[in-house]
Amino acid sequence: MRASSAPPALRRWFTAVGPVDRVGVEERVAKFTTRSIKKAAKVQGLKLAVSMVDLTTLEGKDTPGKVASLCRKALRPHDDPAVPPTAAVCLYPALVRAARRALGDRSPVRIASVATAFPSGQTALATRLAEVRRAVADGADEIDMVINRGAFLAGELGRVRDEIAAVVATCGPAALKVILEVGELETYDHIRAASCLALTELRPGDFIKTSTGKTGTNATLANTQVMLEAIRDHYLDTGIAIGMKPAGGIRTAKQALHFLVAVKETLGDAWLTPARYRFGASALLNDLVRQLEKERTGAYQAPYAFSEAAESY
Amino acid sequence: MPRLPVTKTPKPYVGGAFIRSESGRTRPLHDAAGTFLAHVPLCTRKDLRNAVEAAAKAGPGWARRTAYNRGQILYRLAEMLEARRAEFAAALVRFGARRAAALREVDAATDRLVHYAGWADKYEQLLGGVNPVAGPYFNFTVTEPMGVVGVLAPAAPALLGLISLTAPVIVSGNTAVVLASEPQPYPAILLGELLATSDLPGGVVNLLTGTRADLLPTFATHAHLRGLSAVADAAERRTLDLGAAESVKRVRYTPDAPLATWLGDAAQGLEPIRAFTEAKTTWHPIGA
């Protein structure tokens, strides 16, 4: 489906990156949910998923105390030492220092900070860059930026690209994750176009990310698949491997395994590592640990038996 | 031209929806005369797991309702069962009950619902209260529901047994995952159709059909089930007791008994409600 009403610059970019076959993508991802992953393979998949979680808290009511407990949870998700730490914690820039205090300097858990006026991105570029600079100075290892969706949809692709480039330059050593906010891009063609646009500016070790988790539509297998295929095409063209981070809406271990199947069957084993694949999630970690505990003990577990659970019934 | 009969696919009622077992397994169900009736799903431990998730989701909303409202909903259920008295009796007769006994069972099941509907806003006064203390503060005990409770219904009476065990569990705000009578699952299927159109929120009562041997171990060990109300033989009790000890679960057994016992007043009352509530005791200073 070509968006014929799109601005000319956007239309030219669509032609360059190619369209998305909507029916094909949706049929393809429906197949990912039919794989049978049991026993040892399941345990391996669940542990891999734990090691890929960006344990996230992005609420107005976050406090340094809550961040400290989140960090402890990220370091040691469960009392079973066979459960690995998560890849990172993900929080607002104002809490990066609290997280660094809680984790120390040589932590296996990285600190990711959303920046650039997350989640809307609607402030002046200078303000957004200042926020990135400050977060990195406070100790963030990774920056999650949002793209300028308004500019993208208005066809100002050069501006979107320049802003990404400016954030890349400002990040310095910190890895960058570019949030496309797929819920606001509306079509698969737009998602592919935005993915390809961001990929041209990113360095190896950077990521593209589906969404902020603050809008109605979050990561689905289908929109993640469109982005994975953009990463694959970019890799085949340039040899530069960019990572992927679906975020928002992934709450169950079963969903996480479906997403891992999608990565394995689209990008291959080289992407089955926290260096190239992340889950942006908060409730997911507990369900992963719960399913691991079920595999270990053979008995189904209650959700409230795990720390920081929201469920009490 | 003769009309083709429209036969029913019996489906268990779980989480407010009619499900097929995730396993796809069924067993043929024959009536007392040996006539094939339908294929009934054989639910598995994964269906049980899903039912527990559904029950846990429905739990907070159900527990938050006022006692008065829970009573109204149970009473409404009795009204609906009364209206479908003939249909339920016919189903019991079809599986071997004598007509008079079937009608007595349906009537007793209806009355049992009314009985527990009446208890809804009264058990708290008897189970909780203001405790006497020798100091300048109050001390209260109030009851709270436990959470998700498993119910293992007896083989017979298929309808009255199931309702006698389930109603006292849900009246206090628990939600229930119920395994229907293994030889006679059909009344539970009918009951599911009744529940679906009642005011009971989806997920408060979840009815599974299947074999006890398949499901009992999971009922015993599932940590999210806080209690079990069961009719079970000695071997089954051993399985349930071991699993319940591991998952720190309260178990209440009701002896297997003939219909006459289930019909009687001794088969109902406050005790089955008390068994699935927790007592919370708290103090409060006087004058503050």
PDB file of all heavy atoms in Angstrom, chain B residues 242-272:
ATOM      1  N   LEU B 242      -0.193 -34.102  49.530  1.00  0.00           N
ATOM      2  CA  LEU B 242       1.238 -33.870  49.288  1.00  0.00           C
ATOM      3  C   LEU B 242       1.449 -32.578  48.509  1.00  0.00           C
ATOM      4  O   LEU B 242       2.278 -31.736  48.862  1.00  0.00           O
ATOM      5  CB  LEU B 242       1.838 -35.047  48.508  1.00  0.00           C
ATOM      6  CG  LEU B 242       2.059 -36.325  49.321  1.00  0.00           C
ATOM      7  CD1 LEU B 242       2.483 -37.474  48.411  1.00  0.00           C
ATOM      8  CD2 LEU B 242       3.125 -36.088  50.382  1.00  0.00           C
ATOM      9  N   GLY B 243       0.676 -32.404  47.431  1.00  0.00           N
ATOM     10  CA  GLY B 243       0.818 -31.195  46.608  1.00  0.00           C
ATOM     11  C   GLY B 243       0.430 -29.950  47.386  1.00  0.00           C
ATOM     12  O   GLY B 243       1.051 -28.898  47.273  1.00  0.00           O
ATOM     13  N   ALA B 244      -0.624 -30.071  48.207  1.00  0.00           N
ATOM     14  CA  ALA B 244      -1.106 -28.916  48.961  1.00  0.00           C
ATOM     15  C   ALA B 244      -0.090 -28.514  50.028  1.00  0.00           C
ATOM     16  O   ALA B 244       0.094 -27.332  50.303  1.00  0.00           O
ATOM     17  CB  ALA B 244      -2.453 -29.225  49.599  1.00  0.00           C
ATOM     18  N   ALA B 245       0.581 -29.507  50.612  1.00  0.00           N
ATOM     19  CA  ALA B 245       1.595 -29.189  51.612  1.00  0.00           C
ATOM     20  C   ALA B 245       2.743 -28.428  50.954  1.00  0.00           C
ATOM     21  O   ALA B 245       3.248 -27.440  51.497  1.00  0.00           O
ATOM     22  CB  ALA B 245       2.117 -30.479  52.250  1.00  0.00           C
ATOM     23  N   GLU B 246       3.133 -28.870  49.770  1.00  0.00           N
ATOM     24  CA  GLU B 246       4.229 -28.224  49.046  1.00  0.00           C
ATOM     25  C   GLU B 246       3.877 -26.774  48.710  1.00  0.00           C
ATOM     26  O   GLU B 246       4.711 -25.883  48.826  1.00  0.00           O
ATOM     27  CB  GLU B 246       4.510 -29.022  47.757  1.00  0.00           C
ATOM     28  CG  GLU B 246       5.647 -28.513  46.905  1.00  0.00           C
ATOM     29  CD  GLU B 246       7.006 -28.726  47.562  1.00  0.00           C
ATOM     30  OE1 GLU B 246       7.125 -29.702  48.316  1.00  0.00           O
ATOM     31  OE2 GLU B 246       7.905 -27.911  47.320  1.00  0.00           O
ATOM     32  N   SER B 247       2.628 -26.538  48.305  1.00  0.00           N
ATOM     33  CA  SER B 247       2.250 -25.189  47.890  1.00  0.00           C
ATOM     34  C   SER B 247       1.493 -24.442  48.989  1.00  0.00           C
ATOM     35  O   SER B 247       0.919 -23.380  48.727  1.00  0.00           O
ATOM     36  CB  SER B 247       1.402 -25.253  46.611  1.00  0.00           C
ATOM     37  OG  SER B 247       0.332 -26.153  46.760  1.00  0.00           O
ATOM     38  N   VAL B 248       1.514 -24.961  50.229  1.00  0.00           N
ATOM     39  CA  VAL B 248       0.871 -24.334  51.389  1.00  0.00           C
ATOM     40  C   VAL B 248      -0.563 -23.909  51.054  1.00  0.00           C
ATOM     41  O   VAL B 248      -0.880 -22.721  50.970  1.00  0.00           O
ATOM     42  CB  VAL B 248       1.670 -23.122  51.908  1.00  0.00           C
ATOM     43  CG1 VAL B 248       1.245 -22.795  53.343  1.00  0.00           C
ATOM     44  CG2 VAL B 248       3.152 -23.386  51.856  1.00  0.00           C
ATOM     45  N   LYS B 249      -1.398 -24.921  50.883  1.00  0.00           N
ATOM     46  CA  LYS B 249      -2.739 -24.704  50.371  1.00  0.00           C
ATOM     47  C   LYS B 249      -3.731 -25.326  51.342  1.00  0.00           C
ATOM     48  O   LYS B 249      -3.473 -26.391  51.901  1.00  0.00           O
ATOM     49  CB  LYS B 249      -2.788 -25.408  49.013  1.00  0.00           C
ATOM     50  CG  LYS B 249      -4.057 -25.318  48.261  1.00  0.00           C
ATOM     51  CD  LYS B 249      -3.888 -26.090  46.955  1.00  0.00           C
ATOM     52  CE  LYS B 249      -2.916 -25.405  46.020  1.00  0.00           C
ATOM     53  NZ  LYS B 249      -2.284 -26.295  45.089  1.00  0.00           N
ATOM     54  N   ARG B 250      -4.821 -24.658  51.590  1.00  0.00           N
ATOM     55  CA  ARG B 250      -5.831 -25.209  52.493  1.00  0.00           C
ATOM     56  C   ARG B 250      -6.713 -26.204  51.725  1.00  0.00           C
ATOM     57  O   ARG B 250      -7.118 -25.932  50.600  1.00  0.00           O
ATOM     58  CB  ARG B 250      -6.687 -24.081  53.041  1.00  0.00           C
ATOM     59  CG  ARG B 250      -7.523 -24.500  54.218  1.00  0.00           C
ATOM     60  CD  ARG B 250      -8.300 -23.333  54.772  1.00  0.00           C
ATOM     61  NE  ARG B 250      -7.447 -22.224  55.188  1.00  0.00           N
ATOM     62  CZ  ARG B 250      -7.906 -21.010  55.478  1.00  0.00           C
ATOM     63  NH1 ARG B 250      -9.190 -20.744  55.355  1.00  0.00           N
ATOM     64  NH2 ARG B 250      -7.087 -20.059  55.862  1.00  0.00           N
ATOM     65  N   VAL B 251      -6.982 -27.352  52.342  1.00  0.00           N
ATOM     66  CA  VAL B 251      -7.812 -28.360  51.678  1.00  0.00           C
ATOM     67  C   VAL B 251      -8.988 -28.702  52.567  1.00  0.00           C
ATOM     68  O   VAL B 251      -8.827 -28.926  53.771  1.00  0.00           O
ATOM     69  CB  VAL B 251      -7.009 -29.650  51.383  1.00  0.00           C
ATOM     70  CG1 VAL B 251      -7.843 -30.607  50.537  1.00  0.00           C
ATOM     71  CG2 VAL B 251      -5.714 -29.318  50.663  1.00  0.00           C
ATOM     72  N   ARG B 252     -10.168 -28.708  51.998  1.00  0.00           N
ATOM     73  CA  ARG B 252     -11.355 -29.124  52.748  1.00  0.00           C
ATOM     74  C   ARG B 252     -11.992 -30.281  51.988  1.00  0.00           C
ATOM     75  O   ARG B 252     -12.335 -30.148  50.815  1.00  0.00           O
ATOM     76  CB  ARG B 252     -12.352 -27.974  52.845  1.00  0.00           C
ATOM     77  CG  ARG B 252     -13.619 -28.347  53.585  1.00  0.00           C
ATOM     78  CD  ARG B 252     -14.559 -27.152  53.707  1.00  0.00           C
ATOM     79  NE  ARG B 252     -15.596 -27.441  54.682  1.00  0.00           N
ATOM     80  CZ  ARG B 252     -16.752 -28.025  54.362  1.00  0.00           C
ATOM     81  NH1 ARG B 252     -17.001 -28.368  53.120  1.00  0.00           N
ATOM     82  NH2 ARG B 252     -17.646 -28.261  55.300  1.00  0.00           N
ATOM     83  N   TYR B 253     -12.106 -31.422  52.673  1.00  0.00           N
ATOM     84  CA  TYR B 253     -12.724 -32.584  52.047  1.00  0.00           C
ATOM     85  C   TYR B 253     -14.179 -32.702  52.472  1.00  0.00           C
ATOM     86  O   TYR B 253     -14.509 -32.474  53.641  1.00  0.00           O
ATOM     87  CB  TYR B 253     -11.996 -33.870  52.434  1.00  0.00           C
ATOM     88  CG  TYR B 253     -10.592 -33.946  51.885  1.00  0.00           C
ATOM     89  CD1 TYR B 253      -9.489 -33.961  52.733  1.00  0.00           C
ATOM     90  CD2 TYR B 253     -10.373 -34.003  50.507  1.00  0.00           C
ATOM     91  CE1 TYR B 253      -8.199 -34.025  52.238  1.00  0.00           C
ATOM     92  CE2 TYR B 253      -9.085 -34.068  50.001  1.00  0.00           C
ATOM     93  CZ  TYR B 253      -8.009 -34.081  50.861  1.00  0.00           C
ATOM     94  OH  TYR B 253      -6.745 -34.143  50.359  1.00  0.00           O
ATOM     95  N   THR B 254     -15.012 -33.042  51.524  1.00  0.00           N
ATOM     96  CA  THR B 254     -16.391 -33.392  51.835  1.00  0.00           C
ATOM     97  C   THR B 254     -16.514 -34.880  51.542  1.00  0.00           C
ATOM     98  O   THR B 254     -16.084 -35.326  50.472  1.00  0.00           O
ATOM     99  CB  THR B 254     -17.360 -32.591  50.938  1.00  0.00           C
ATOM    100  OG1 THR B 254     -17.073 -31.206  51.084  1.00  0.00           O
ATOM    101  CG2 THR B 254     -18.801 -32.864  51.313  1.00  0.00           C
ATOM    102  N   PRO B 255     -17.062 -35.687  52.492  1.00  0.00           N
ATOM    103  CA  PRO B 255     -17.131 -37.126  52.237  1.00  0.00           C
ATOM    104  C   PRO B 255     -18.035 -37.446  51.047  1.00  0.00           C
ATOM    105  O   PRO B 255     -19.027 -36.751  50.813  1.00  0.00           O
ATOM    106  CB  PRO B 255     -17.740 -37.685  53.536  1.00  0.00           C
ATOM    107  CG  PRO B 255     -17.720 -36.588  54.527  1.00  0.00           C
ATOM    108  CD  PRO B 255     -17.633 -35.305  53.787  1.00  0.00           C
ATOM    109  N   ASP B 256     -17.636 -38.465  50.303  1.00  0.00           N
ATOM    110  CA  ASP B 256     -18.482 -38.944  49.221  1.00  0.00           C
ATOM    111  C   ASP B 256     -19.751 -39.500  49.867  1.00  0.00           C
ATOM    112  O   ASP B 256     -19.673 -40.212  50.862  1.00  0.00           O
ATOM    113  CB  ASP B 256     -17.742 -40.052  48.451  1.00  0.00           C
ATOM    114  CG  ASP B 256     -18.309 -40.219  47.063  1.00  0.00           C
ATOM    115  OD1 ASP B 256     -19.211 -39.442  46.686  1.00  0.00           O
ATOM    116  OD2 ASP B 256     -17.850 -41.132  46.349  1.00  0.00           O
ATOM    117  N   ALA B 257     -20.919 -39.164  49.357  1.00  0.00           N
ATOM    118  CA  ALA B 257     -22.152 -39.553  50.029  1.00  0.00           C
ATOM    119  C   ALA B 257     -23.258 -39.762  49.011  1.00  0.00           C
ATOM    120  O   ALA B 257     -23.184 -39.237  47.891  1.00  0.00           O
ATOM    121  CB  ALA B 257     -22.560 -38.453  51.015  1.00  0.00           C
ATOM    122  N   PRO B 258     -24.281 -40.517  49.378  1.00  0.00           N
ATOM    123  CA  PRO B 258     -25.413 -40.677  48.464  1.00  0.00           C
ATOM    124  C   PRO B 258     -26.222 -39.393  48.368  1.00  0.00           C
ATOM    125  O   PRO B 258     -26.049 -38.474  49.179  1.00  0.00           O
ATOM    126  CB  PRO B 258     -26.231 -41.801  49.120  1.00  0.00           C
ATOM    127  CG  PRO B 258     -25.865 -41.752  50.559  1.00  0.00           C
ATOM    128  CD  PRO B 258     -24.443 -41.292  50.613  1.00  0.00           C
ATOM    129  N   LEU B 259     -27.111 -39.362  47.391  1.00  0.00           N
ATOM    130  CA  LEU B 259     -27.909 -38.159  47.123  1.00  0.00           C
ATOM    131  C   LEU B 259     -28.623 -37.660  48.376  1.00  0.00           C
ATOM    132  O   LEU B 259     -28.658 -36.456  48.634  1.00  0.00           O
ATOM    133  CB  LEU B 259     -28.915 -38.448  45.999  1.00  0.00           C
ATOM    134  CG  LEU B 259     -29.862 -37.294  45.639  1.00  0.00           C
ATOM    135  CD1 LEU B 259     -29.084 -36.081  45.156  1.00  0.00           C
ATOM    136  CD2 LEU B 259     -30.865 -37.727  44.579  1.00  0.00           C
ATOM    137  N   ALA B 260     -29.164 -38.606  49.162  1.00  0.00           N
ATOM    138  CA  ALA B 260     -29.959 -38.205  50.335  1.00  0.00           C
ATOM    139  C   ALA B 260     -29.152 -37.304  51.259  1.00  0.00           C
ATOM    140  O   ALA B 260     -29.665 -36.325  51.810  1.00  0.00           O
ATOM    141  CB  ALA B 260     -30.434 -39.454  51.079  1.00  0.00           C
ATOM    142  N   THR B 261     -27.847 -37.606  51.419  1.00  0.00           N
ATOM    143  CA  THR B 261     -27.001 -36.794  52.293  1.00  0.00           C
ATOM    144  C   THR B 261     -26.821 -35.389  51.722  1.00  0.00           C
ATOM    145  O   THR B 261     -26.870 -34.396  52.446  1.00  0.00           O
ATOM    146  CB  THR B 261     -25.631 -37.478  52.460  1.00  0.00           C
ATOM    147  OG1 THR B 261     -25.842 -38.826  52.836  1.00  0.00           O
ATOM    148  CG2 THR B 261     -24.797 -36.774  53.501  1.00  0.00           C
ATOM    149  N   TRP B 262     -26.601 -35.310  50.415  1.00  0.00           N
ATOM    150  CA  TRP B 262     -26.407 -34.003  49.768  1.00  0.00           C
ATOM    151  C   TRP B 262     -27.676 -33.156  49.827  1.00  0.00           C
ATOM    152  O   TRP B 262     -27.616 -31.931  49.824  1.00  0.00           O
ATOM    153  CB  TRP B 262     -25.983 -34.177  48.307  1.00  0.00           C
ATOM    154  CG  TRP B 262     -24.589 -34.667  48.144  1.00  0.00           C
ATOM    155  CD1 TRP B 262     -24.193 -35.965  47.973  1.00  0.00           C
ATOM    156  CD2 TRP B 262     -23.388 -33.889  48.130  1.00  0.00           C
ATOM    157  NE1 TRP B 262     -22.827 -36.031  47.858  1.00  0.00           N
ATOM    158  CE2 TRP B 262     -22.310 -34.770  47.944  1.00  0.00           C
ATOM    159  CE3 TRP B 262     -23.125 -32.522  48.261  1.00  0.00           C
ATOM    160  CZ2 TRP B 262     -20.986 -34.339  47.885  1.00  0.00           C
ATOM    161  CZ3 TRP B 262     -21.811 -32.083  48.190  1.00  0.00           C
ATOM    162  CH2 TRP B 262     -20.751 -32.999  48.012  1.00  0.00           C
ATOM    163  N   LEU B 263     -28.838 -33.846  49.846  1.00  0.00           N
ATOM    164  CA  LEU B 263     -30.097 -33.101  49.877  1.00  0.00           C
ATOM    165  C   LEU B 263     -30.322 -32.448  51.239  1.00  0.00           C
ATOM    166  O   LEU B 263     -30.999 -31.433  51.342  1.00  0.00           O
ATOM    167  CB  LEU B 263     -31.274 -34.039  49.582  1.00  0.00           C
ATOM    168  CG  LEU B 263     -31.386 -34.589  48.149  1.00  0.00           C
ATOM    169  CD1 LEU B 263     -32.481 -35.653  48.079  1.00  0.00           C
ATOM    170  CD2 LEU B 263     -31.664 -33.478  47.162  1.00  0.00           C
ATOM    171  N   GLY B 264     -29.709 -33.023  52.272  1.00  0.00           N
ATOM    172  CA  GLY B 264     -30.036 -32.615  53.635  1.00  0.00           C
ATOM    173  C   GLY B 264     -29.439 -31.271  54.045  1.00  0.00           C
ATOM    174  O   GLY B 264     -28.544 -30.729  53.389  1.00  0.00           O
ATOM    175  N   ASP B 265     -29.934 -30.752  55.161  1.00  0.00           N
ATOM    176  CA  ASP B 265     -29.465 -29.467  55.679  1.00  0.00           C
ATOM    177  C   ASP B 265     -28.012 -29.531  56.135  1.00  0.00           C
ATOM    178  O   ASP B 265     -27.303 -28.517  56.153  1.00  0.00           O
ATOM    179  CB  ASP B 265     -30.330 -29.039  56.872  1.00  0.00           C
ATOM    180  CG  ASP B 265     -31.607 -28.355  56.404  1.00  0.00           C
ATOM    181  OD1 ASP B 265     -31.703 -28.095  55.181  1.00  0.00           O
ATOM    182  OD2 ASP B 265     -32.486 -28.099  57.232  1.00  0.00           O
ATOM    183  N   ALA B 266     -27.551 -30.728  56.494  1.00  0.00           N
ATOM    184  CA  ALA B 266     -26.179 -30.853  56.976  1.00  0.00           C
ATOM    185  C   ALA B 266     -25.164 -30.573  55.862  1.00  0.00           C
ATOM    186  O   ALA B 266     -23.991 -30.311  56.140  1.00  0.00           O
ATOM    187  CB  ALA B 266     -25.956 -32.250  57.551  1.00  0.00           C
ATOM    188  N   ALA B 267     -25.617 -30.609  54.603  1.00  0.00           N
ATOM    189  CA  ALA B 267     -24.699 -30.391  53.482  1.00  0.00           C
ATOM    190  C   ALA B 267     -24.507 -28.913  53.176  1.00  0.00           C
ATOM    191  O   ALA B 267     -23.865 -28.556  52.185  1.00  0.00           O
ATOM    192  CB  ALA B 267     -25.211 -31.130  52.245  1.00  0.00           C
ATOM    193  N   GLN B 268     -25.079 -28.033  54.000  1.00  0.00           N
ATOM    194  CA  GLN B 268     -24.907 -26.596  53.758  1.00  0.00           C
ATOM    195  C   GLN B 268     -24.683 -25.894  55.093  1.00  0.00           C
ATOM    196  O   GLN B 268     -24.788 -26.513  56.150  1.00  0.00           O
ATOM    197  CB  GLN B 268     -26.135 -26.033  53.041  1.00  0.00           C
ATOM    198  CG  GLN B 268     -27.428 -26.197  53.835  1.00  0.00           C
ATOM    199  CD  GLN B 268     -28.654 -25.843  52.997  1.00  0.00           C
ATOM    200  OE1 GLN B 268     -28.603 -25.862  51.771  1.00  0.00           O
ATOM    201  NE2 GLN B 268     -29.740 -25.507  53.655  1.00  0.00           N
ATOM    202  N   GLY B 269     -24.358 -24.628  55.027  1.00  0.00           N
ATOM    203  CA  GLY B 269     -24.173 -23.906  56.289  1.00  0.00           C
ATOM    204  C   GLY B 269     -22.981 -22.980  56.244  1.00  0.00           C
ATOM    205  O   GLY B 269     -22.425 -22.689  55.182  1.00  0.00           O
ATOM    206  N   LEU B 270     -22.575 -22.535  57.428  1.00  0.00           N
ATOM    207  CA  LEU B 270     -21.521 -21.530  57.531  1.00  0.00           C
ATOM    208  C   LEU B 270     -20.128 -22.124  57.347  1.00  0.00           C
ATOM    209  O   LEU B 270     -19.231 -21.481  56.790  1.00  0.00           O
ATOM    210  CB  LEU B 270     -21.621 -20.861  58.910  1.00  0.00           C
ATOM    211  CG  LEU B 270     -20.604 -19.765  59.233  1.00  0.00           C
ATOM    212  CD1 LEU B 270     -20.758 -18.604  58.250  1.00  0.00           C
ATOM    213  CD2 LEU B 270     -20.797 -19.274  60.656  1.00  0.00           C
ATOM    214  N   GLU B 271     -19.957 -23.378  57.798  1.00  0.00           N
ATOM    215  CA  GLU B 271     -18.619 -23.959  57.816  1.00  0.00           C
ATOM    216  C   GLU B 271     -17.942 -23.972  56.440  1.00  0.00           C
ATOM    217  O   GLU B 271     -16.767 -23.605  56.322  1.00  0.00           O
ATOM    218  CB  GLU B 271     -18.690 -25.368  58.429  1.00  0.00           C
ATOM    219  CG  GLU B 271     -17.367 -26.087  58.537  1.00  0.00           C
ATOM    220  CD  GLU B 271     -16.253 -25.251  59.155  1.00  0.00           C
ATOM    221  OE1 GLU B 271     -16.546 -24.461  60.068  1.00  0.00           O
ATOM    222  OE2 GLU B 271     -15.104 -25.371  58.704  1.00  0.00           O
ATOM    223  N   PRO B 272     -18.647 -24.374  55.377  1.00  0.00           N
ATOM    224  CA  PRO B 272     -17.988 -24.357  54.064  1.00  0.00           C
ATOM    225  C   PRO B 272     -17.568 -22.952  53.623  1.00  0.00           C
ATOM    226  O   PRO B 272     -16.636 -22.802  52.827  1.00  0.00           O
ATOM    227  CB  PRO B 272     -19.053 -24.922  53.113  1.00  0.00           C
ATOM    228  CG  PRO B 272     -20.013 -25.651  53.978  1.00  0.00           C
ATOM    229  CD  PRO B 272     -20.010 -24.940  55.295  1.00  0.00           C
TER     230      PRO B 272
END
